[in-house]
């Protein structure tokens, strides 16, 4: 019972932090757009990195906007870009579950590998995955977790990347269902998707990025059928960090607004700043193309913003340079080796919870041994529901204390 109570308390803490982040984002759409732009890039790289692929956010972004692979594994970068597209446009899991989950599966499929058809869920099973989440839509994090657990069980853990995308998709959809977020179910723009994803604005309501949460301070294994407590602790810590980071982003937006006000005469600085609000990574060629100016003018405008502390150079070289808003540049640098693995172990400093965990890929034989016993799935869901009784107890106790204080 104590463990159930602990889960309830952890879930309440995570949801409280998520609600604070969401409230700030709802009050400031410009801030929300910038935060989701940054977070989606970090999540895509981290999700692929959790699968043992060598990937960095910076390398992924530069490949996305220029086709330059740098030292990155091109296959890993391509995988991350596919994941990014779904993170930005998750679809409508409650209204069109089959279409939404099939799109997730396509994005999560490793480049150059064909999925074992024996692990492919039938169309009739996909609405059941989503309904497992809808049952607890009043608690969006749990809704996403239940859906991810259901998919993980039914697919015999064949695609952890898909599980994480399902978590984000259902968590965001549950927030809208509860009236916590605006309707962001707009259909995807095929032209935007062909453009690569970075220029595609995020049409999403998610608040908790699972891969970022698990890799922000050390590395923890994603395990939707058994690791709820570990995940909730990591998510709460990550959301707490984001609450502070939102202040940094607001400051950066304010600095850009001040630069816009100070632009004189026929300067195109205001136009460049408007571009940066939607596209926080640029090159001189991109600025030339978007503003219709010469290379000299583009570099001059970029230089003004660099001197004012509004842009940072991403590439330590004199040619083929790219610049980003300072917060994104700093976060990409910090996450630069997030996905690097050596001998199956993530190469990172030890987090507060101890040494990095060794990832153990799930083999086809192990998946087959697991079977797909619907009774076992029911028990997993029942355990999650039982844990929620702990949350009810926490809420009741908190309400009782408040009445006594009054």
């Amino acid at each position: 019972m104590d463990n159930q109570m602990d889960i309830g308390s952890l879930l309440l803490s995570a949801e409280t932090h998520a609600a604070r982040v969401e409230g700030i984002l709802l009050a400031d759409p410009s801030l929300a757009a910038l935060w989701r732009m940054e977070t989606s890039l970090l999540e895509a790289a981290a999700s692929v990195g959790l699968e043992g692929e060598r990937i960095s956010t910076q390398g992924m972004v530069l490949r996305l906007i220029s086709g330059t692979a740098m030292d990155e594994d091109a296959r890993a970068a391509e995988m991350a870009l596919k994941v990014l597209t779904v993170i930005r446009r998750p679809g409508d899991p409650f209204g069109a579950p089959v279409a939404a989950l099939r799109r997730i599966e396509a994005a999560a499929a490793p480049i150059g590998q064909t999925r074992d058809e024996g692990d492919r869920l039938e169309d009739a099973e996909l609405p059941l995955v989503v309904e497992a989440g809808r049952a607890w839509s009043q608690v969006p994090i749990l809704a996403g977790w239940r859906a991810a657990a259901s998919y993980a069980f039914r697919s015999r853990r064949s695609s952890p990347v898909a599980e994480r995308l399902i978590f984000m998709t259902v968590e965001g959809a549950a927030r809208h269902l509860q009236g916590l977020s605006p309707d962001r179910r707009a259909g995807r723009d095929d032209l935007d998707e062909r453009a690569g994803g970075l220029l595609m604005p995020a049409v999403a309501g998610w608040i908790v990025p699972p891969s970022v949460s698990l890799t922000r301070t050390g590395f923890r294994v994603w395990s939707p059928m058994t690791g709820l407590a570990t995940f909730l602790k990591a998510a709460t810590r990550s959301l707490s960090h984001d609450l502070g980071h939102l202040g940094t982003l607001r400051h950066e937006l304010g600095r850009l607004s001040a630069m816009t006000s100070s632009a004189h005469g026929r300067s195109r600085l205001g136009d460049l700043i408007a571009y940066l609000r939607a596209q926080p990574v640029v090159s001189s060629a991109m600025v030339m193309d978007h503003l219709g100016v010469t290379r000299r003018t583009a570099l001059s405008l970029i230089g003004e913003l660099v001197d004012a502390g509004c842009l940072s150079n991403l590439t330590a070289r004199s040619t083929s340079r790219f610049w980003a808003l300072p917060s994104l540049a700093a976060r990409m640098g910090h996450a630069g080796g997030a996905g690097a693995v050596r001998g199956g172990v993530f190469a990172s400093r030890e987090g507060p919870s101890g040494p990095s965990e060794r990832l153990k890929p799930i083999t086809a034989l192990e998946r087959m041994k697991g079977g797909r016993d619907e009774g076992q799935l029911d028990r997993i869901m029942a355990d999650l529901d039982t844990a929620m009784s702990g949350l009810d107890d926490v809420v009741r106790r908190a309400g009782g204390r408040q009445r006594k204080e009054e």
Side-chain angles (χ1 to χ4, degrees):
M1 184 65 180
D2 288 342
N3 181 59
Q4 295 166 5
M5 297 282 284
D6 289 344
I7 291 292
S9 298
L10 291 170
L11 187 55
L12 181 62
S13 178
E15 284 289 0
T16 300
H17 280 73
R20 291 178 64 193
V21 170
E22 186 171 28
I24 293 170
L25 299 181
L26 289 173
D28 190 338
S30 295
L31 181 64
L34 183 56
W35 179 79
R36 283 203 169 89
M37 173 73 76
E38 284 193 2
T39 304
S40 63
L41 291 169
L42 296 168
E43 175 65 23
S47 186
V48 172
L50 279 173
E51 300 311 297
E53 296 289 344
R54 187 173 293 276
I55 180 73
S56 77
T57 312
Q58 183 186 97
M60 180 188 73
V61 169
L62 296 185
R63 181 174 177 80
L64 178 58
I65 61 180
S66 69
T68 303
M70 296 181 65
D71 296 327
E72 295 301 316
D73 183 324
R75 187 176 70 91
E78 189 64 27
M79 287 174 60
L81 299 185
K82 288 169 55 182
V83 170
L84 176 64
T85 299
V86 174
I87 292 173
R88 292 275 174 83
R89 302 283 177 92
D92 180 12
F94 295 149
V98 176
L101 267 62
R102 289 295 183 221
R103 182 164 167 264
I104 285 173
E105 290 178 330
I111 301 296
Q113 295 183 23
T114 57
R115 184 173 182 180
D116 183 353
E117 287 300 312
D119 289 329
R120 178 183 169 90
L121 273 64
E122 299 291 337
D123 282 358
E125 287 185 275
L126 299 180
L128 300 178
V129 169
V130 172
E131 287 305 312
R134 188 197 286 266
W136 279 98
S137 61
Q138 71 273 27
V139 187
I141 293 175
L142 183 62
W145 189 266
R146 283 173 56 99
S150 177
Y151 183 83
F153 182 84
R154 294 176 184 280
S155 65
R156 301 187 181 97
R157 300 303 315 277
S158 63
S159 180
V161 175
E163 295 163 14
R164 290 189 287 271
L165 288 173
I166 287 171
F167 171 86
M168 294 185 79
T169 298
V170 173
E171 186 244 350
R175 292 186 185 282
H176 166 65
L177 203 63
Q178 295 304 311
L180 302 176
S181 288
D183 189 349
R184 299 184 180 278
R185 295 175 296 167
R188 70 184 191 276
D189 186 323
D190 291 330
L191 181 61
D192 274 346
E193 291 203 4
R194 288 198 299 273
L198 186 64
L199 298 176
M200 179 198 304
V203 183
W206 45 260
I207 296 296
V208 182
S211 307
V212 170
S213 298
L214 291 168
T215 60
R216 180 160 255 161
T217 55
F219 291 87
R220 294 162 182 80
V221 174
W222 165 259
S223 181
M225 295 196 298
T226 59
L228 181 56
T230 297
F231 177 76
L232 291 174
K233 291 175 184 176
T236 300
R237 188 178 297 113
S238 183
L239 289 166
S240 179
H241 183 280
D242 276 328
L243 284 168
H245 183 63
L246 286 171
T248 300
L249 291 183
R250 185 182 284 118
H251 177 68
E252 289 193 359
L253 288 173
R255 204 158 44 181
L256 287 174
S257 296
M259 289 294 291
T260 301
S261 301
S262 66
H264 299 293
R266 300 174 63 184
S267 171
R268 301 298 302 277
L269 188 62
D271 296 329
L272 173 55
I273 290 171
Y275 183 39
L276 285 170
R277 288 178 180 274
Q279 169 61 37
V281 182
V282 297
S283 65
S284 58
M286 293 168 67
V287 175
M288 290 167 60
D289 181 64
H290 185 77
L291 300 187
V293 297
T294 65
R295 175 177 171 78
R296 181 176 179 178
T297 298
L299 288 172
S300 176
L301 292 171
I302 290 171
E304 283 189 60
L305 293 179
V306 170
D307 291 343
C310 296
L311 280 180
S312 296
N313 187 359
L314 282 178
T315 49
R317 57 193 182 197
S318 58
T319 60
S320 300
R321 289 176 294 173
F322 291 87
W323 292 265
L325 296 183
S327 61
L328 178 56
R331 293 186 79 183
M332 288 199 300
H334 176 72
V341 292
R342 297 188 181 95
V345 182
F346 275 103
S348 81
R349 294 185 302 274
E350 293 184 5
S353 61
S356 302
E357 298 181 59
R358 180 178 296 276
L359 298 184
K360 298 179 180 179
I362 299 170
T363 65
L365 177 61
E366 288 172 327
R367 289 198 297 268
M368 292 301 293
K369 286 181 178 177
R372 283 164 71 171
D373 172 16
E374 291 295 327
Q376 184 181 353
L377 177 60
D378 290 342
R379 289 191 292 275
I380 291 170
M381 293 302 164
D383 287 344
L384 291 175
D385 292 345
T386 301
M388 285 303 299
S389 65
L391 178 60
D392 292 338
D393 290 342
V394 171
V395 172
R396 280 197 296 270
R397 289 202 307 273
R401 283 197 298 271
Q402 183 177 5
R403 283 192 295 272
K404 288 180 179 178
E405 291 172 359
E406 292 173 351

